[in-house]
Amino acid sequence: QVQVVESGGGSVQPGGSLRLSCAASGTIFSISAMGWYRQVPGKERELVATITFSGNTNYADSVKGRFTISWANAQNTVDLLMNSLKPDDTAVYYCNVKSRTGIRSPNRDYWGKGTLVTVSS
């Protein structure tokens, strides 16, 4: 099994910054990608940003130029730096890990429990 733990959520004023961190642990043979998704009540979960093992990144249009996803120094950890935050960024942010637990295991999705980001004056 793979455990996914997010940290760094909180409240910030519009225009402010926050850094989210996500750490994966457990039975990990390999990680192909990690990413962040967000969800507000009544809406579907949406992609925010992803990063592959090789460092390729993908961002939602709504966050391009403001958010940066990167591999952290700690193993199997990814950070999301969020700048110029807007009230529309308010959501629960979930970390996703695409991982294999063994050489013959398929790639599976693992999710964290989420961390709340509130942008409000």
Side-chain angles (χ1 to χ4, degrees):
Q1 228 2 315
V2 176
Q3 292 79 45
V4 181
V5 178
E6 304 108 333
S7 60
S11 296
V12 65
Q13 292 187 341
S17 299
L18 278 177
R19 182 187 295 271
L20 304 183
S21 186
C22 173
S25 62
T27 307
I28 297 174
F29 175 76
S30 65
I31 291 177
S32 61
M34 292 179 68
W36 289 93
Y37 294 71
R38 66 188 182 188
Q39 189 171 22
V40 297
K43 291 190 175 182
E44 291 188 357
R45 191 172 297 185
E46 64 176 11
L47 177 145
V48 176
T50 60
I51 186 167
T52 67
F53 177 77
S54 59
N56 292 322
T57 58
N58 182 45
Y59 296 93
D61 287 342
S62 59
V63 307
K64 281 181 182 176
R66 299 188 299 121
F67 291 11
T68 303
I69 190 170
S70 62
W71 291 106
N73 290 331
Q75 189 176 19
N76 299 333
T77 301
V78 67
D79 289 338
L80 181 69
L81 177 60
M82 304 184 294
N83 294 322
S84 302
L85 282 161
K86 306 174 181 180
D88 284 349
D89 295 318
T90 296
V92 176
Y93 284 70
Y94 296 91
C95 180
N96 170 266
V97 178
K98 298 187 185 303
S99 174
R100 298 166 64 194
T101 56
I103 192 169
R104 292 185 176 84
S105 300
N107 226 10
R108 284 197 172 101
D109 284 310
Y110 298 91
W111 293 90
K113 294 181 179 180
T115 184
L116 178 63
V117 172
T118 303
V119 184
S120 174
S121 55

